[in-house]
Amino acid sequence: MKVNFVDLKAQYQTIKPEIDSAIQNVISNTAFVLGKAVAEFEQEFASYCDVNHGMGINSGTSALIMALKALEVAEGDEVITTPNTFIATAEAISYAGAKPVFVDIEEKSYNMDPTKLEKAITGKTKAIIPVHLYGQPADMDPILQIAEKKEIPVIEDSAQAHGALYKEKKTGGLAMVGCFSFYPGKNLGAYGEGGAVTTNHDDIAQKVRMLRDHGSSKKFYHEYIGNNCRLEGIQGAVLSVKLKHLDKWNDGRRENANLYRKYLKGSSVKVPEEMPYSKHVYHVFCVRVKEREKLIDFLKEKDIYTNIHYPIPIHLQNAYSFLGYKKGSFPVTEGCMDEILSLPMFAELTEEQIKYTTDCIREFYGE
Ligand SMILES: Cc1ncc(COP(=O)(O)O)c(C=O)c1O
């Protein structure tokens, strides 16, 4: 039996007629960039996230850059995030001209440890970006409390957490600005690149709309030095179709997470914890294992494909060596790095595939 890490073909088969006709519509209308399909999706997504505004952007990385630019983050500023994230979070800070400053994670949630946040704030801190990693929201209340006290805006990196809840509230609407990625493998994925910025603030929304389109709201009149970060019509149309299925797919992921828990019970594999304040949407099902590299090879031989999110934390990446962090700078993040393993996870994964995967894991450990 083959178990892919993700299987976008399986998902497409369940929505083929809707997707094909939505894409054909955009081609017939020739509204290839922004246009009606994107405008409709923006409204639907804003309403899904319980916010006033949603702006379609050409990627999650660009969404973070647009959000930082809208908050006037610039050279000489510092922006706080965690070292346990995809490099795009830090890259966006760098592209805005600022310096990334890291705060270690909590071992249980893999997200920013709010108790370590205040110490990282300086007079130069212009924004804080907690990441809702793997699909589980960061502990936002204490983060927002500290940020409010210091009058620093918070941007959620919700690239992995579409539809996740923090104390019954959707991510993307928990702070001043939310940023999403619609990279194809995400819980809500486009058929190409895509992203969004969400906010309740009219001024930020207006600025992001302009920044993504060359700093302009009227053709050939430019208020700001912007960029070309517009979402394509075909992606808007695909995302509208897929948004209607998102809750069902997230429920499927949650059911699969429970099946993994059931079949791994009593084994030496440590399954992820769902924090009491969160509804996790399992973009990634991250377990902790011993002898990881050997296990990965063993599973590959059994036609089971896994991944590591992420093998090297940002502060130890060559690209960020100039920041001067060393091994030992963030012990909790580093302590997880050699043990984390992402098991196959998507809504269409079958119980047989999960049972086969966990049987193979038990076989490897002789359990
Ligand atoms: C946590 C996180 N932030 C930002 C991004 C960037 O999104 P994109 O790949 O759409 O640019 C990703 C996507 O991979 C991500 O996982």
Side-chain angles (χ1 to χ4, degrees):
M1 185 187 306
K2 184 175 184 179
V3 190
N4 287 313
F5 183 68
V6 287
D7 190 344
L8 297 178
K9 280 187 195 151
Q11 187 192 62
Y12 174 56
Q13 288 314 317
T14 69
I15 51 173
K16 188 174 184 311
E18 296 169 82
I19 289 282
D20 291 359
S21 109
I23 290 177
Q24 189 53 55
N25 240 337
V26 176
I27 297 171
S28 305
N29 297 333
T30 66
F32 293 118
V33 177
L34 295 177
K36 188 164 167 269
V38 170
E40 282 174 5
F41 169 68
E42 286 177 334
Q43 286 211 338
E44 292 158 8
F45 192 63
S47 140
Y48 179 82
C49 296
D50 286 324
V51 293
N52 294 337
H53 306 282
M55 283 68 68
I57 307 289
N58 63 350
S59 75
T61 309
S62 302
L64 286 161
I65 296 171
M66 298 289 99
L68 288 161
K69 288 276 185 190
L71 294 175
E72 291 174 8
V73 170
E75 215 174 313
D77 294 336
E78 293 176 356
V79 176
I80 294 174
T81 188
T82 77
N84 184 36
T85 177
F86 182 54
I87 194 158
T89 319
E91 283 176 319
I93 297 168
S94 300
Y95 264 79
K99 177 181 154 189
V101 171
F102 301 114
V103 167
D104 211 348
I105 57 167
E106 300 170 317
E107 173 123 30
K108 273 189 179 174
S109 69
Y110 300 106
N111 284 325
M112 181 181 283
D113 184 341
T115 64
K116 296 185 178 146
L117 172 59
E118 199 154 353
K119 255 179 74 183
I121 294 174
T122 72
K124 293 179 179 173
T125 309
K126 236 348 199 353
I128 300 166
I129 311 184
V131 182
H132 306 315
L133 202 74
Y134 306 147
Q136 172 147 258
D139 193 2
M140 292 301 287
D141 277 353
I143 293 172
L144 289 167
Q145 242 169 36
I146 295 164
E148 205 169 299
K149 191 172 78 184
K150 304 269 181 182
E151 297 183 2
I152 300 167
V154 175
I155 299 170
E156 295 170 74
D157 183 339
S158 197
Q160 302 191 2
H162 319 70
L165 300 179
Y166 177 76
K167 299 184 179 173
E168 308 303 318
K169 272 189 83 179
K170 288 255 172 70
T171 60
L174 301 170
M176 189 172 274
V177 192
C179 293
F180 290 85
S181 163
F182 302 127
Y183 188 74
K186 294 290 196 279
N187 290 31
L188 180 61
Y191 280 11
E193 303 279 358
V197 173
T198 51
T199 186
N200 279 316
H201 296 261
D202 298 352
D203 51 342
I204 295 172
Q206 171 66 4
K207 196 152 177 197
V208 168
R209 272 182 212 289
M210 292 169 79
L211 286 172
R212 73 170 173 189
D213 195 11
H214 302 290
S216 161
S217 58
K218 186 176 165 195
K219 203 166 183 174
F220 301 133
Y221 290 78
H222 308 276
E223 294 299 319
Y224 309 107
I225 298 171
N227 206 328
N228 174 1
C229 296
R230 302 171 299 224
L231 185 66
E232 295 183 345
I234 285 180
Q235 307 312 337
V238 165
L239 289 163
S240 275
V241 168
K242 291 182 75 174
L243 182 60
K244 295 185 188 76
H245 300 276
L246 178 59
D247 285 340
K248 176 185 70 194
W249 288 334
N250 280 343
D251 287 347
R253 286 172 181 269
R254 289 175 57 75
E255 278 163 30
N256 291 339
N258 283 337
L259 289 172
Y260 270 124
R261 285 204 174 89
K262 175 173 139 190
Y263 290 124
L264 286 170
K265 204 167 183 178
S267 81
S268 58
V269 173
K270 193 165 175 283
V271 293
E273 283 193 42
E274 190 153 337
M275 305 305 284
Y277 49 73
S278 79
K279 182 178 175 189
H280 199 319
V281 292
Y282 297 100
H283 173 57
V284 167
F285 191 79
C286 177
V287 296
R288 299 275 285 273
V289 297
K290 304 282 180 217
E291 297 179 81
R292 180 178 63 187
E293 313 310 322
K294 280 191 193 149
L295 174 63
I296 291 171
D297 289 344
F298 181 82
L299 292 176
K300 207 182 281 171
E301 271 168 33
K302 304 274 186 186
D303 228 7
I304 298 166
Y305 298 89
T306 56
N307 228 316
I308 301 169
H309 296 90
Y310 296 92
I312 303 174
I314 314 273
H315 69 286
L316 299 179
Q317 294 280 358
N318 288 338
Y320 280 108
S321 58
F322 70 94
L323 291 175
Y325 291 110
K326 298 265 173 311
K327 232 182 167 161
S329 295
F330 300 103
V332 183
T333 294
E334 291 167 32
C336 301
M337 289 304 119
D338 297 334
E339 293 186 352
I340 50 174
L341 180 70
S342 310
L343 297 181
M345 174 52 84
F346 47 94
E348 298 78 15
L349 195 64
T350 63
E351 181 159 359
E352 289 69 36
Q353 287 175 309
I354 293 171
K355 177 82 169 56
Y356 173 62
T357 302
T358 54
D359 282 350
C360 290
I361 293 173
R362 283 178 183 277
E363 186 189 331
F364 175 78
Y365 291 112
E367 289 170 347

